[in-house]
Amino acid sequence: TRGQARPSSRAWSLYVLPAKNHHFIHFLLLIPVGALVIAFARTVIGVPTFGTFAPILLAMAFREVAVTTGLICLSIILALGLVLRLALDKLHILGIPRLSIILTMVVTTVLAIFVTSVQMGQDKILYFSFFPMIIMTWMIERFSVAQIEDGIFSAAKPAAGTALLATVLYFVFGIPALRHYLFQYPEILLAIMGLLLLLGRYTGYRLMELVRFQDLGAKRS
């Protein structure tokens, strides 16, 4: 029928869905892949991040614009958000109004970036999703709290890890074969769940811990 892709005889076929929804289906199918990459990076390698979904949603936003543009926007918004968060702390206001003020600042900054980019002829920035705005607001709150409790260096680690994994996922999500096979064979998600179960049983050392404590091991030997 009109508006639908060529149907398949397979029971799990996604081709029976309307073609106009395929972009959204690709988005959903890539989320477990992103979760697998993040789980591996955090469990085996030891890369700190602000949660699991922040790098995924940022990577999705980077797919709509250039990754360099996305990282620049992220850096600007995080820097301004941190300054505003520290200023609001001196006013001793409640958490919900404070977070709402930061969200308003994020929206205002994004709108300013939109206007500036369009005036410079870079209108692709308009495809920047509203989901990353929410994530960046939450990241600002998490970053500022970590900065107050543990210092700027400790707070910068998960922020850098989130940006790093978002960049990695940007390139992973851009693999055409990955999107094709996930759409053609959605049962691959079951295999991803199996790999996540294996990661859930992992009790070995993280690679970053081995690097961190290599001096201690050298002294013992």
Side-chain angles (χ1 to χ4, degrees):
T1 60
R2 186 177 180 181
Q4 291 183 335
R6 176 181 55 84
S8 174
S9 59
R10 298 174 60 253
W12 277 78
S13 175
L14 297 177
Y15 285 102
V16 298
L17 300 176
K20 63 182 180 180
N21 299 120
H22 284 189
H23 181 73
F24 177 68
I25 299 302
H26 281 109
F27 172 83
L28 291 179
L29 290 171
L30 288 173
I31 290 178
V33 177
L36 176 61
V37 173
I38 294 171
F40 178 83
R42 295 190 61 175
T43 304
V44 179
I45 301 178
V47 179
T49 63
F50 286 129
T52 302
F53 292 104
I56 296 175
L57 293 180
L58 287 176
M60 292 294 183
F62 292 168
R63 292 302 308 169
E64 303 296 336
V65 297
V67 63
T68 304
T69 303
L71 289 174
I72 292 175
C73 293
L74 177 63
S75 301
I76 293 174
I77 293 174
L78 282 180
L80 293 177
L82 178 60
V83 172
L84 179 60
R85 173 64 162 78
L86 295 176
L88 292 175
D89 284 341
K90 297 180 180 180
L91 300 178
H92 303 289
I93 64 176
L94 298 176
I96 299 302
R98 180 181 60 200
L99 192 60
S100 300
I101 292 173
I102 294 175
L103 176 60
T104 304
M105 184 280 303
V106 171
V107 173
T108 304
T109 304
V110 169
L111 290 175
I113 293 174
F114 284 174
V115 173
T116 303
S117 299
V118 170
Q119 289 179 346
M120 297 175 61
Q122 303 293 328
D123 56 351
K124 284 190 67 177
I125 192 67
L126 294 175
Y127 294 100
F128 204 69
S129 172
F130 72 90
F131 285 111
M133 298 184 198
I134 308 300
I135 292 297
M136 283 186 284
T137 302
W138 176 73
M139 285 179 61
I140 292 169
E141 183 72 8
R142 289 285 301 273
F143 181 79
S144 56
V145 170
Q147 187 270 334
I148 294 172
E149 294 179 350
D150 304 319
I152 187 67
F153 181 74
S154 297
K157 289 181 179 179
T162 299
L164 174 63
L165 288 184
T167 304
V168 171
L169 290 177
Y170 166 83
F171 292 105
V172 172
F173 292 164
I175 302 175
L178 176 64
R179 300 197 302 270
H180 171 75
Y181 282 109
L182 282 172
F183 196 88
Q184 185 76 21
Y185 306 102
E187 56 268 25
I188 293 176
L189 298 182
L190 299 177
I192 292 177
M193 291 178 62
L195 293 174
L196 289 171
L197 286 174
L198 291 177
L199 284 174
R201 304 284 294 180
Y202 180 77
T203 57
Y205 289 103
R206 295 174 178 173
L207 297 181
M208 294 188 67
E209 290 178 347
L210 295 178
V211 176
R212 180 182 178 185
F213 297 108
Q214 62 180 352
D215 293 338
L216 181 60
K219 291 180 180 180
R220 288 186 176 183
S221 60

